[in-house]
């Protein structure tokens, strides 16, 4: 499954009704953002995220760790946790494993994530090793303070792109036998030639009967390669963000709706797509909205792009069930990459098939 | 009826499905904007506005005259028409009665407007007189080049806030017996104490069996006062614009969702409202979206505000049908103005009732 990202308690521009309509299964919300604004107490007063956001389906919250690293200022990491300055008002905030779980319990998602450190890329192997060892100790602390039996806590495997460090993290993390496992520390700047071997190595050591979640990924081609390697769950701001910038995802690659050609095209973004935008609008109309800086343009392109990724994983799921995933993935890649499937994509398919 | 404004072929932020859902009856589109971008030929290639915008209901287009006055640069008005520079690319554009009708026929709205001049406020009576006389000659030219029998052309009565000039315009315009008449040149900066007597004087001389359309109005209180004076149709960007700025329309007046109180209120904007925002969201959530600058906030507040005005005219219609419009209007005004109905409002009701 692909999970739309609702950073601040809203998938940008879209209503819960629209998300249900395009087949979203879980919405991701960010602990870091919501604890800073409006604060988890207000969300809890609404009965948690479904009451606050009116999205009636399941939620997943991240732990806040990743955002602290990418958005917090003056952050200081210690064994205890992380101290940082809020990007909103500069106030000093402390986030620890205990506090992360407390906030996530107040937000009330169905799946919550262990508080981890996601080292930057590149980082020294010694740093990554010390960090992943601390992340395991933080996992233990998360589990020991967790009180809600109705929330599933997923552990996160770290280790950068290094096979030995991934192995070490796996060996230390698997014994906790959490109901799902995430692959963290990837898609943070490394090349796809580096990322996908790490995905493949990690995924093959994770239990097949539990969800394997590749955090912060991704692009359509990443989903197909990830699925080949055993990944079950993805999330990324990409489809909504690129939609806001005027790009539409299709089987033929990314369509730039800001360019001149679509302005005269009286056909939908994708005639095979069943989203509201494709059923109602021509490319010419959507391109007009973009040029006129009309709000309906980012809204409709976000809707289409999310529906595209949901349809993509639906097609992959059907192909798996019918036993022809790898031929389907190669055919999809041939069209998407216009006949030139990159090496990392081919290797992910070969490894997954083998 | 209140008509939502879709300046550039979209009611800002809302889908056609939403507009149908909240009871919109006609959408207004702007000739000036659409002729400049994307050009009327592209709209015509879609079969007109319903095909272009996917809104399946009726449309009304203005003539372009008002926007030329308010947005065009270096405009030059002559007997022939208006020459101006486009606000988009500075190119020189000529708009005449003939060209306005040609564009409006290509856009394909159900109701089209005569090309008129809307003098600024204040203006010298001599200028207003010369202008309204030219507007009558332009009306004649519009009617003589009109070819589509499926489009209803409404004439526009001018004359500023001067009773004698309104009378002159009425006497010259009524003989054309167009299927509807509009009141132009109002809500352009004059006070409500000046505007409503002019509305009342003009409306009472227009045929009762044809729609009377007060252009560019307005606020909730203007609709109630206008209906009292016999007005049947209104349009204004106000509900969507004020929504984008974070204000919500209610029977208790305009609610500032940017202020601190709503941030903690776990109740809808208006418990009596049946719009999506009021059925799903608390004020606290919507206030959070506003602070976080999330696109869903302007979208939902625009939806609510339009629904509020549609409900307001629905309630007025019911009250008229049941024979108790004036008591209803006074009760509504008492609550809306918190017990202090302004003089112009009282006088409009008294005049309408008398």
């Amino acid at each position: 499954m692909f999970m739309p990202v609702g950073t601040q308690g809203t998938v940008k521009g879209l209503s819960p009704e629209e998300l249900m309509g395009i087949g979203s299964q879980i919405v991701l919300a960010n602990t870091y953002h919501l604890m800073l604004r409006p604060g988890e107490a207000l969300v809890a007063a609404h009965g948690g995220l479904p009451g606050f956001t009116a999205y009636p389906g399941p939620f997943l919250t991240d732990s806040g760790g990743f955002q602290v690293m990418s958005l917090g200022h003056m952050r200081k990491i210690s064994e205890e946790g992380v101290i940082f300055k809020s990007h909103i008002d500069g106030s000093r905030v402390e986030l620890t494993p205990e506090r992360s779980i407390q906030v996530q319990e107040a937000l009330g998602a169905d799946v919550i994530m262990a508080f981890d450190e996601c080292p930057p890329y590149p980082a020294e192997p010694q740093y990554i090793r010390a960090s992943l060892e601390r992340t395991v100790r933080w996992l233990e602390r998360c589990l020991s303070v967790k009180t809600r039996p109705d929330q599933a806590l997923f552990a996160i495997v770290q280790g950068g792109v290094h096979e030995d460090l991934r192995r070490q993290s796996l060996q230390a993390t698997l014994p906790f036998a959490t109901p799902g496992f995430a692959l963290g520390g990837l898609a943070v700047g490394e090349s796809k030639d580096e990322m996908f071997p790490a995905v493949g190595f990690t995924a093959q050591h994770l239990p097949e009967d539990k969800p394997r979640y590749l955090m912060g990924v991704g692009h359509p081609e990443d989903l197909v390669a990830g699925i080949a390697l055993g990944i079950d769950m993805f999330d990324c701001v990409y489809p909504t963000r690129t939609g806001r910038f005027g790009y539409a995802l299709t089987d033929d690659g990314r369509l730039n709706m800001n360019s001149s050609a679509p302005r005269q095209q009286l056909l939908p973004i994708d005639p095979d797509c069943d989203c509201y935008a494709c059923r109602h609008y021509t490319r010419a109309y959507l391109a007009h909205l973009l040029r006129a800086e009309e709000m309906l343009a980012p809204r409709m392109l976000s809707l289409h792009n999310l529906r595209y990724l949901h349809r993509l994983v639906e097609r992959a799921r059907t192909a798996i069930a019918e036993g022809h995933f790898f031929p389907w993935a190669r055919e999809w890649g041939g069209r998407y990459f216009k006949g030139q499937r990159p090496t990392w994509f081919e290797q992910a398919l070969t490894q997954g098939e083998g």
Side-chain angles (χ1 to χ4, degrees), chain A:
Chain A
M1 70 167 76
F2 179 84
M3 302 183 288
V5 179
T7 307
Q8 310 198 82
T10 163
V11 177
K12 289 190 188 303
L14 303 182
S15 73
E17 198 167 53
E18 285 166 322
L19 294 171
M20 299 303 280
I22 59 170
S24 298
Q25 293 174 278
I26 297 189
V27 167
L28 187 146
N30 283 126
T31 290
Y32 169 88
H33 284 93
L34 293 170
M35 70 180 277
L36 295 183
R37 187 178 59 196
E40 69 277 13
L42 186 74
V43 179
H46 286 77
L49 285 164
F52 187 57
T53 66
Y55 178 75
F59 277 90
L60 180 149
T61 43
D62 64 7
S63 69
F66 180 77
Q67 265 77 28
V68 168
M69 311 301 162
S70 56
L71 293 174
H73 301 296
M74 313 265 294
R75 56 185 182 275
K76 206 178 132 187
I77 305 170
S78 70
E79 184 64 23
E80 180 57 22
V82 186
I83 293 170
F84 63 96
K85 282 194 170 177
S86 159
H87 75 287
I88 296 173
D89 62 6
S91 63
R92 182 183 171 284
V93 186
E94 186 168 9
L95 196 55
T96 62
E98 292 77 13
R99 174 89 178 107
S100 173
I101 298 302
Q102 183 194 8
V103 175
Q104 292 188 78
E105 292 197 338
L107 297 176
D110 304 86
V111 180
I112 64 176
M113 301 301 298
F115 186 68
D116 66 332
E117 188 199 347
C118 174
Y121 177 89
E124 291 299 320
Q126 306 93 290
Y127 183 86
I128 299 176
R129 184 184 307 275
S131 165
L132 74 85
E133 288 170 352
R134 188 167 51 209
T135 285
V136 173
R137 293 190 293 275
W138 285 359
L139 169 61
E140 211 165 352
R141 285 164 60 189
C142 286
L143 287 167
S144 75
V145 295
K146 178 182 183 309
T147 65
R148 284 183 60 163
D150 58 335
Q151 293 185 305
L153 186 148
F154 283 18
I156 302 173
V157 177
Q158 290 286 350
V161 295
H162 309 278
E163 202 168 298
D164 57 333
L165 296 174
R166 284 276 155 192
R167 180 179 290 113
Q168 182 186 344
S169 180
L170 279 161
Q171 286 171 345
T173 308
L174 285 172
F176 289 94
T178 52
F181 291 94
L183 293 77
L186 295 169
V188 291
E190 77 282 12
S191 70
K192 297 198 180 188
D193 293 318
E194 292 173 293
M195 181 177 94
F196 277 99
V199 170
F201 177 80
T202 310
Q204 74 185 1
H205 289 96
L206 289 170
E208 270 199 18
D209 59 347
K210 290 183 173 178
R212 290 170 281 195
Y213 165 27
L214 180 54
M215 302 180 83
V217 172
H219 296 203
E221 61 271 35
D222 302 335
L223 269 59
V224 175
I227 292 166
L229 295 168
I231 299 299
D232 303 297
M233 296 166 68
F234 303 87
D235 84 272
C236 196
V237 296
Y238 176 71
T240 43
R241 181 171 290 169
T242 203
R244 292 199 302 283
F245 286 122
Y247 293 88
L249 304 179
T250 80
D251 275 358
D252 294 307
R254 202 172 67 157
L255 180 66
N256 183 356
M257 297 290 289
N258 303 297
S259 65
S260 58
R263 288 179 202 159
Q264 300 298 328
Q265 293 174 337
L266 271 62
L267 70 171
I269 294 171
D270 178 351
D272 293 333
C273 181
D274 56 7
C275 83
Y276 186 89
C278 288
R279 283 186 293 110
H280 289 86
Y281 297 126
T282 62
R283 293 180 180 186
Y285 179 70
L286 294 167
H288 164 65
L289 294 183
L290 270 173
R291 287 175 82 194
E293 296 179 25
E294 284 285 353
M295 214 196 308
L296 196 59
R299 173 179 163 189
M300 285 296 142
L301 290 173
S302 295
L303 185 79
H304 166 76
N305 287 348
L306 280 179
R307 180 61 190 142
Y308 180 78
L309 292 190
H310 289 331
R311 275 181 59 234
L312 186 64
V313 297
E314 285 167 13
R315 288 148 76 195
R317 208 178 292 139
T318 301
I320 291 168
E322 294 175 354
H324 54 76
F325 172 79
F326 290 97
W328 171 82
R330 287 198 174 86
E331 195 187 324
W332 179 88
R335 180 171 166 187
Y336 187 82
F337 292 113
K338 298 175 174 59
Q340 302 185 303
R341 294 190 296 257
T343 307
W344 64 262
F345 185 84
E346 287 293 295
Q347 286 177 343
L349 264 55
T350 305
Q351 191 194 332
E353 198 168 19

